[in-house]
Each structure stands twice: as C-alpha cells, then as structure tokens.
C-alpha cells in the first residue's frame, strides 16, 4: 500500500524559534547559577519588540543581555528587530507559591514516601514518546530530513556559501511509503528569507544544489520529485518583523513531526521539574531503548501525571503490532524498569545541567549529545526477549 507522510521544520531564525532559544538560554544561565533553580519563562516577539515573561525562582539573570546576545548570534543585525535596536520588555516574577507547594510537597511525601517522592509533578498533563527503526536515529524519515534541511539552510548562510540568505526559513518534506518502508521523497518545500536584490531563479538553483541535494540521499530523489522553493516568489521581510513569534508554538516540529500523538505541552524555558519537558524526554529515552533492545520495531508511550504527585497516574504503550510482547505486558515492563517520578527522571537523565539552549531548534530528538538519546538500557532490556 502506497501512502504519503509530511513533516516540517523551521530554522533558528524563525520568530517562534527565536523565542524558544531566548527562553532556553535564560534557563541555562539560571541553572549555571543554581542547578535547582525553577523556571517557566516564555517570550513573545513582534516587529521591533521582545517581551520576556514568566516565573523564576532560585536564581537571577540579566534577561535583556541574554536576549540581545541570542538575537545577534542568530543573525538579526539588520532591520527593526536587530539585536542592538529592538525594544525588550521583561515581566518576570517569582514562582507561584501554590505551584511550588505542589512540586515541593507531593502527595507521597505527605504520606511518608522516600526521597524521590519529595518532588511532585510540576503540573498535570500527558506526555508522549516515540521511536522506530525507520532511520539510524530511531526517528521518522520525514522529520529527520526536514530538520537537516533547516540546519543546512543556517549552515550555508552562516558559512557564507549563500551569503544572501537571511535567518528566517522553513522546510517541509513529503515521503512516499510502501507499507511502512520509505521508498522516495515525493516533495520538498523550502522557504527562505533573502536579500532583496537576489533573483528567485538564483535562489531556486542554489537551494536545490547547496541545500536539498546536500541533505536528501540521491536514491530518494527521482524525476517525479517535486520542488517548491520560495513558492510565494519573495521572502525579504521575515523574522519578528514579518510574523510574530511565541515560545512553544512549534511543539510538533520539536518532537516527531506529527508522526505520533502530542500531549500539548511545550518545552522551552521550563526547568526539569516541569514534566511537560522532563517526562517527554524520559518517554523518548524509554522508547529508543525498547527499540534498540529489539522488543519492538515501533513504539509510542504515553505518561500522565497529576500536579504534586510523583508517580504517574498512567502508563500506556502502543507498538503498532510490532512488539515482541503484548502492549499491556510491555507497559508493565516500562513501569518496572524505569523510575518515572520527576526526581528520578531528573537524576537518571542528568537534567539539572545547562544543556537546553541546544535543543531550541532542529528538534529535541534524533540528535547526538542529549542523554535521552542514549541506549544504555537496551542490553538489560533484552532479558525480556527470553521465551519470546
């Protein structure tokens, strides 16, 4: 059965990603000063103004200085949103005492639980993880290619290969499948901000040569592959001057490109006591290790929490018929083998470190260097294959 699936990505200069990066740079600075700092920082950018808002406890930072540094590094040294020209408003205050109480004194702690019960979930919610054998990164091919194209756009701009490019950009890839096997790329969409004096013909030629063909394997492209490069014909006004930006508005880009369910929570600017972030990372870690262990070829996990309660209220597993064990048995394995309390997640994934700015663009998953991408539990999980 032939079918098509599409995922998108955006560059670090996309207005939403500018906001994500600033929020995560602030978080990293807070964690450098105090590994137990709490942060729920968000940003909103529009035209010539950046608003930094949210709750911070346990440390302080120079929010404006961090923001201007990020804006400069991304490449906005022109226009009204230039790093040295834009207006920055900071509305950051301490964490709500009611929320802090829920995190600090979980229901289990009140009942006499152990040390790891002393941090309850920072909010209620549901979080999803996913992994598959489709790529070596255990990610779906469409989102992998979309991210790599977006990364390449930034690379050729910053390295001067295509010096007329500007920071804002979006990519999209449609992959054709034969059953569950990807067989070809059916369509590639690239929209990139550019200087005003460059022709669309030049942009189309250069993007195809220096971006698309440098990223997408040749065997996946054919005479029927469709290319849409700057399909509106012009993209000079971009970034926050062209469209407002907001932290957490690219949550599907951040995860699996729409391939699996999403609980709705965003990541950037949140410290690891917020299970929106830490439990989603843990769910990915579990899924990747289960696939690496050979217990399933594809898996989606849902975790759900109640605010102030350390243990998840539910664990759901779906292996889409690929599991070596029934899904309910595999869910029991997850609950037995992985400690899903927030404090245990923070400890096992080493999340109190300033590692978050690097997640802000090009996906939180499928890239080396993050602890939730490790497969160090795979070998021990293989014991469940005995008797299968």
């Amino acid at each position: 059965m032939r079918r098509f699936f599409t995922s998108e990505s955006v560059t670090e200069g996309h207005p939403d990603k500018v906001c994500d990066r600033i929020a995560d740079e602030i978080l990293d600075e807070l964690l450098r000063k105090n590994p137990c700092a709490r942060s729920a920082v968000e940003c909103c950018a529009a035209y010539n103004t950046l608003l930094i808002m949210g709750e911070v406890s346990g440390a302080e930072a120079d929010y404006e200085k961090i923001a201007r540094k990020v804006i400069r590094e991304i490449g906005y040294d022109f226009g009204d949103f230039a790093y040295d020209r834009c207006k920055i408003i900071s509305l950051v205050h301490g964490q709500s005492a009611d929320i802090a109480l829920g995190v600090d004194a979980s229901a289990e702690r009140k009942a006499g639980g152990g040390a790891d019960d002393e941090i309850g979930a920072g909010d209620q919610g549901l979080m999803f993880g996913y992994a598959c054998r489709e790529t070596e990164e255990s990610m779906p091919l469409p989102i992998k290619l979309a991210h790599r194209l977006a990364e390449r756009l930034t690379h050729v701009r910053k390295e001067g290969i295509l010096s007329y490019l500007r920071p804002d950009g979006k990519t999209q890839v449609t992959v054709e499948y034969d059953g569950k096997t990807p067989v070809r790329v059916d369509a590639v969409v690239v929209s990139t901000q550019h200087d005003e004096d460059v022709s669309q013909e030049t942009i189309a030629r250069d993007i195809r040569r220096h971006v698309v063909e440098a990223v997408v394997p040749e065997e996946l492209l054919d005479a029927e592959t469709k290319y849409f490069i700057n399909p509106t014909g012009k993209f000079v006004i971009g970034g926050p001057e062209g469209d407002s930006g907001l932290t957490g508005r690219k949550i599907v880009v951040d995860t699996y490109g729409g391939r699996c369910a999403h609980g709705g929570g965003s990541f950037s600017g949140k410290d690891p006591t917020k299970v929106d972030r830490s439990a989603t990372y843990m769910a990915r870690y579990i899924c990747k290790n289960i696939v690496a262990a050979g217990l399933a070829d594809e898996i989606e996990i849902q975790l759900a929490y109640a605010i102030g309660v350390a243990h998840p209220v539910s664990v759901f597993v779906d292996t889409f018929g690929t599991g070596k064990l029934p899904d309910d048995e595999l869910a029991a394995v997850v609950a037995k083998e992985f400690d899903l309390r927030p404090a245990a997640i923070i400890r096992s994934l080493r999340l109190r470190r300033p590692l978050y700015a690097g997640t802000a663009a090009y996906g939180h998953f499928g890239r080396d260097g993050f602890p939730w991408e490790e497969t160090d539990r795979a070998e021990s999980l293989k014991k469940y294959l005995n008797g299968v």
Side-chain angles (χ1 to χ4, degrees), residues 23-341:
D24 275 335
E25 290 277 7
I26 289 171
L27 171 60
D28 279 355
E29 180 61 20
L30 296 171
L31 293 175
R32 287 186 191 98
K33 295 183 175 181
N34 178 6
C36 293
R38 302 246 176 97
S39 171
V41 171
E42 299 180 76
C43 299
C44 179
Y47 191 56
N48 65 347
T49 303
L50 173 73
L51 172 64
I52 304 172
M53 53 194 168
E55 299 81 47
V56 167
S57 297
E60 289 294 330
D62 188 332
Y63 307 121
E64 180 175 342
K65 181 178 179 181
I66 292 170
R68 293 193 189 280
K69 172 179 174 289
V70 169
I71 295 167
R72 184 182 72 248
E73 289 178 353
I74 288 173
Y76 285 109
D77 54 6
F78 61 91
D80 288 326
F81 194 73
Y83 73 93
D84 57 351
R85 201 172 303 138
C86 64
K87 179 181 179 181
I88 296 180
I89 301 169
S90 179
L91 296 174
V92 179
H93 56 81
Q95 185 181 46
S96 159
D98 292 344
I99 294 175
L101 178 65
V103 175
D104 292 334
S106 70
E108 286 92 344
R109 181 185 179 187
K110 294 174 184 176
D116 280 348
D117 291 319
E118 293 185 7
I119 296 180
D123 201 353
Q124 72 175 47
L126 44 144
M127 301 85 205
F128 288 87
Y130 179 85
C132 63
R133 293 195 182 280
E134 202 165 295
T135 63
E136 63 181 13
E137 298 87 356
S138 301
M139 291 288 287
L141 183 61
I143 189 64
K144 171 188 172 177
L145 293 177
H147 282 323
R148 300 298 81 80
L149 288 171
E151 280 185 309
R152 181 68 182 173
L153 269 180
T154 297
H155 176 78
V156 298
R157 170 176 63 89
K158 289 188 169 182
E159 292 299 314
I161 298 169
L162 300 179
S163 58
Y164 58 79
L165 295 184
R166 292 180 178 179
D168 198 357
K170 302 179 75 172
T171 62
Q172 186 172 288
V173 178
T174 300
V175 173
E176 182 178 351
Y177 289 79
D178 183 0
K180 291 192 173 185
T181 303
V183 294
R184 58 182 293 273
V185 168
D186 185 66
V188 176
V189 183
V190 178
S191 295
T192 180
Q193 189 185 13
H194 58 86
D195 291 345
E196 192 159 13
D197 59 356
V198 61
S199 71
Q200 294 304 307
E201 292 76 17
T202 297
I203 294 171
R205 181 193 67 235
D206 288 350
I207 293 299
R208 183 162 172 176
R209 175 186 174 189
H210 293 285
V211 177
V212 178
E213 293 176 1
V215 168
V216 182
E218 184 179 0
E219 63 271 19
L220 292 177
L221 301 173
D222 58 30
E224 301 302 316
T225 300
K226 299 177 283 292
Y227 300 90
F228 302 92
I229 297 172
N230 279 16
T232 62
K234 185 179 181 182
F235 189 179
V236 173
I237 301 171
E241 286 192 68
D243 191 9
S244 60
L246 185 65
T247 302
R249 197 157 56 181
K250 286 290 177 285
I251 55 178
V252 173
V253 169
D254 286 341
T255 52
Y256 306 100
R259 184 64 163 267
C260 72
H262 197 295
S266 63
F267 306 147
S268 292
K270 296 180 180 178
D271 75 83
T273 66
K274 279 70 173 176
V275 285
D276 276 342
R277 183 167 218 163
S278 55
T280 302
Y281 290 168
M282 189 63 171
R284 164 64 176 175
Y285 175 68
I286 295 168
C287 288
K288 194 170 181 183
N289 276 273
I290 285 175
V291 169
L295 287 168
D297 293 332
E298 181 181 15
I299 182 170
E300 176 183 291
I301 288 177
Q302 183 205 63
L303 306 176
Y305 289 84
I307 187 169
V309 180
H311 289 277
V313 298
S314 69
V315 177
F316 173 82
V317 168
D318 187 354
T319 61
F320 308 95
T322 71
K324 300 302 186 291
L325 300 173
D327 289 347
D328 59 339
E329 292 184 25
L330 203 47
V333 168
V334 169
K336 178 181 178 181
E337 293 290 333
F338 297 90
D339 194 335
L340 300 174
R341 293 173 294 178

